[in-house]
Amino acid sequence: MELSRRDAVAALGALGAGTATAGCLQGSPDGDGDDGGEEAAVRETLVAAAEVLYPSAVDGIDEFVGTFLAGRLDDGPHAAGVRDAVDALETRAEAWYDGNVAALSAEDRDSLLRETGAGAADPDPDGTPAERIRYYIVNELLLALYSSPTGGELVGIENPQGHAGGLDSYQRGPTA
Amino acid sequence: MSPAENVGSEASTDRTPVTDCDVCVIGAGPAGALVASRLAEAGHEVVVLDAGPRFDPSDRLARQERAIRPFYDRPAVWDGDPERDAHSNDGERFYPLNHARVKGIGGSTLHWQGMVMRLHEADFNSQSERGIGVDWPINYEDLRPYYAAAERELGVAGGDNPFAPPRETPRPMPEFQPSYSDSLFAEACDELGIAMHSVPNARNSESYDGRSGCVGYGTCQPVCPSGAKYDATVHIERAEEAGATVIDRAVVGRLAHDAESITAAEYATPDGEYRQEAEGFVIAAGGVETPRLLLLSESEQYPDGLANSSGTVGKFFMDHLFAGTGGLLDEPTRQGHIGFLTSESHQFYDEADAEVGPFKLEFFNYAGPSPVESALTGDDWGDDLLERLRGEYGTHIGMGALVESIPGEDSSIGLDRDETDAHGNPVPEVHWTVDDRALRTIERANEIQERILNELGAEITWQVGPEDTGPAYHHMGTTRMGEDPTESVVDADCRTHDLDNCWIASSSVFPTGGAMNPTLTIAALALRCAESVDAALRGE
């Protein structure tokens, strides 16, 4: 199932976006100088994480995550938390797997995320590295997916909680 | 818009008192907001003091994010402050007070469900009609025009209900159409001879009063990002447009008084402590903080607290009780697309007597887990997570019921003098009890719920019955209304028997609670109260 830009915009509509204008973070680091490089690196890590966190049935992760992040990463505390969590994850990737997250195989990325403790950790924006990775990376990305129309449809609900999907779907039967 | 962690910046605000104030309203929830708007529009100088903050409307999506993320509990969605809101529990049942209220401009309507029914006629005459409790000093006909006005003020969408009391005109907006799962329930209810009907919602089914129609965010309780669900900021804004002054983060700790009247509200703010003098005072701080403030205002003249010559301030604390039953069907039930109810049944409501109380049945549109919330809680991801979510979602079905409770005076709100809040005031002590009739009523509601679900062919997997029932977060009864000053706190106009210039606009004045969500009655009484205050200020 293809994740679209519309899904990313919908996810931003469900969650509080940052002050940045919703657009699409560029994938290459040569777009906006140093800041652009840093943002691109954050995006690269999160896209790589999403490829493990999201089910294999979804496509279009790169554009979806990029568009979503463009609306979330600003100068506020949330964006700072995302960047710090990405740093923590990358530090562990280098220490434990001799490479950055995006360079690891999907299997190693899955192992890395589990070995940080993020799988079992309770999410906490001010907590341990495991709790912050859970909050700012794992739950950030899962929240974006499953509050979007395509993410909801994967489960069987085209208007998931958080999405302003209107008043028709709740009246429809399963075969409509 | 901002993410969940970015909310809560505090703007500098003038929180000093206003000179030549006619009316000081304490509490900016629906009752206080309606009273303030009516009196300001009538030309009075009005000041509203509220203990909580003024929330930035642009943070609504961030608060919705908090509602979905497991890190944030319910009080955190609206910046609950455990120190400011400290309390103690010493009743036979724990009362989760800070999950049951929001402090701030808009009050608990910020997190409410938004169901707005009129009480039935017999609810006003419980002793005469049902042989239990007390009669109100007013009846349905007295409140009927105010109910109609309240429905226009809040904006109510709803349709026919064959069991509801008589009304004069349709509600301001058409009802929300029944859900798909309502249609499943309807087949079973038809077989059993149980009538379903629409739910009156303070939620726009179309554009109304400058606010949009519902767009289906599905997080109504505890936050509506679109503003389609009514909250009391609507009337706070209207009051301010008419000249009222609204001061947030103003914790009123005492009402200064002489023998016959209140002279000033003494309040603490982040900037200092002040006194707001006024000709009249309207306490609209809900069923817990209203009696607490009266008790905190004790003096040599009134050693048992203000307006408490009857000794009933804080007594008869009551809430509606929840009864529920749910399970699984072998077919899709399409839950969780919206966060509100579209069908209910009042068929059994007026069978109430001294043994079994009134109750209403609710048909859920959000039974079972929310997929997005569930996705954030497990230790799985990828295909494993999707498989789990698909297994959890899809076939849940559930029913609720709201049940009347008429506890005795031992169910109460008092002061815990061993524990103080951030301002050094004794915290409220909640002593909540539940009467046996209410427990029997829950059993009766459970029986009907089981019949309906069995007719549907559901596998029943959960039930909330007499043993594990909980409150519906409707604080009522702690400054009851009555004709006899020795047995009640306020008269039929919501004016205290003891003090000429003090009114109470709150569900705390309910002598009995029926089994209907209380806010429409709160609003109707507030509008009636405002007329009394206006007349008094004009010397009528």
Side-chain angles (χ1 to χ4, degrees), chain A:
Chain A
M1 195 173 278
E2 181 78 17
L3 281 167
S4 65
R5 177 180 167 78
R6 172 177 164 264
D7 284 303
V9 172
L12 286 170
L15 309 171
T19 54
T21 303
C24 188
L25 283 180
Q26 296 303 305
S28 62
D30 56 357
D32 299 318
D34 290 344
D35 286 349
E38 183 185 349
E39 300 301 273
V42 169
R43 168 196 165 129
E44 184 178 64
T45 303
L46 291 178
V47 168
E51 287 169 353
V52 172
L53 297 168
Y54 289 179
S56 55
V58 299
D59 298 315
I61 291 173
D62 190 89
E63 184 186 17
F64 174 78
V65 172
T67 305
F68 178 72
L69 288 177
R72 294 283 274 181
L73 295 180
D74 59 8
D75 296 330
H78 179 82
V82 172
R83 294 187 186 101
D84 287 348
V86 165
D87 281 348
L89 186 63
E90 287 292 358
T91 298
R92 285 155 178 75
E94 292 289 347
W96 300 342
Y97 288 87
D98 294 324
N100 63 32
V101 174
L104 302 181
S105 68
E107 186 177 340
D108 283 349
R109 273 176 266 162
D110 183 85
S111 296
L112 170 68
L113 282 166
R114 295 206 177 279
E115 287 159 9
T116 65
D122 289 330
D124 184 343
D126 303 313
T128 65
E131 292 166 340
R132 287 187 285 114
I133 290 170
R134 175 76 199 205
Y135 184 93
Y136 285 113
I137 296 179
V138 176
N139 278 7
E140 179 86 356
L141 291 167
L142 293 177
L143 185 52
L145 175 64
Y146 288 109
S147 63
S148 75
T150 295
E153 284 173 30
L154 283 168
V155 183
I157 177 171
E158 62 271 35
N159 184 26
Q161 195 179 40
H163 175 53
L167 295 177
D168 292 331
S169 72
Y170 85 87
Q171 301 174 50
R172 285 198 296 264
T175 57

Side-chain angles (χ1 to χ4, degrees), chain B residues 236-408:
Chain B
I236 287 295
E237 289 173 13
R238 199 173 296 173
E240 289 180 305
E241 287 167 4
T245 300
V246 179
I247 302 176
D248 73 340
R249 300 177 201 264
V251 180
V252 180
R254 178 177 171 81
L255 298 170
H257 57 272
D258 55 31
E260 295 178 350
S261 60
I262 297 173
T263 53
E266 298 175 355
Y267 63 98
T269 76
D271 325 310
E273 296 183 1
Y274 304 103
R275 297 175 91 252
Q276 178 62 62
E277 299 179 349
E279 295 296 313
F281 291 81
V282 178
I283 309 173
V288 173
E289 297 297 342
T290 293
R292 180 193 181 208
L293 178 57
L294 293 172
L295 295 173
L296 286 173
S297 302
E298 63 192 7
S299 63
E300 286 188 13
Q301 177 82 33
Y302 293 110
D304 297 324
L306 213 51
N308 195 23
S309 63
S310 67
T312 60
V313 168
K315 304 290 177 59
F316 304 105
F317 173 55
M318 56 190 174
D319 200 327
H320 296 124
L321 297 169
F322 176 77
T325 307
L328 300 166
L329 287 184
D330 58 2
E331 60 179 307
T333 55
R334 305 277 295 162
Q335 298 292 285
H337 293 248
I338 52 174
F340 59 94
L341 304 181
T342 44
S343 290
E344 60 179 354
S345 178
H346 297 180
Q347 180 165 328
F348 304 95
Y349 195 93
D350 287 319
E351 294 177 2
D353 56 23
E355 291 299 309
V356 175
F359 64 95
K360 69 179 176 100
L361 295 171
E362 301 171 335
F363 301 91
F364 288 168
N365 288 328
Y366 39 77
S370 154
V372 62
E373 289 186 28
S374 190
L376 307 186
T377 57
D379 61 0
D380 46 2
W381 50 60
D383 289 339
D384 291 342
L385 171 59
L386 179 58
E387 185 178 344
R388 174 169 65 85
L389 296 178
R390 285 173 170 168
E392 290 175 351
Y393 175 78
T395 58
H396 287 270
I397 194 125
M399 294 186 64
L402 215 57
V403 167
E404 181 181 53
S405 178
I406 304 183

Side-chain angles (χ1 to χ4, degrees), chain B residues 78-102:
Chain B
W78 290 101
D79 300 349
D81 180 342
E83 194 173 352
R84 180 196 63 196
D85 305 334
H87 62 282
S88 63
N89 259 281
D90 76 339
E92 64 187 31
R93 291 174 184 254
F94 176 76
Y95 195 90
L97 181 58
N98 286 342
H99 286 252
R101 60 181 180 174
V102 172

Side-chain angles (χ1 to χ4, degrees), chain B residues 51-183:
Chain B
R54 185 188 293 266
F55 300 106
D56 185 342
S58 69
D59 285 339
R60 288 285 177 99
L61 281 174
R63 298 191 188 283
Q64 174 174 260
E65 182 181 341
R66 287 186 175 187
I68 296 172
R69 281 189 182 263
F71 172 72
Y72 299 94
D73 64 8
R74 178 60 63 91
V77 172
W78 290 101
D79 300 349
D81 180 342
E83 194 173 352
R84 180 196 63 196
D85 305 334
H87 62 282
S88 63
N89 259 281
D90 76 339
E92 64 187 31
R93 291 174 184 254
F94 176 76
Y95 195 90
L97 181 58
N98 286 342
H99 286 252
R101 60 181 180 174
V102 172
K103 285 191 180 178
I105 305 303
S108 295
T109 53
L110 294 169
H111 81 159
W112 73 324
Q113 176 71 14
M115 289 192 279
V116 276
M117 300 81 178
R118 300 182 183 193
L119 286 171
H120 286 203
E121 290 155 297
D123 288 325
F124 294 90
N125 303 297
S126 185
Q127 179 56 237
S128 303
E129 300 271 345
R130 298 169 180 156
I132 191 168
V134 295
D135 290 351
W136 293 45
I138 58 175
N139 59 35
Y140 176 74
E141 285 303 318
D142 293 321
L143 207 53
R144 183 172 167 176
Y146 299 94
Y147 270 134
E151 288 169 345
R152 291 191 297 272
E153 292 292 333
L154 272 57
V156 177
D160 292 337
N161 174 355
F163 310 106
R167 54 181 302 113
E168 45 302 310
T169 58
R171 293 178 180 83
M173 285 175 281
E175 72 266 38
F176 288 92
Q177 292 301 302
S179 66
Y180 173 72
S181 62
D182 287 340
S183 72

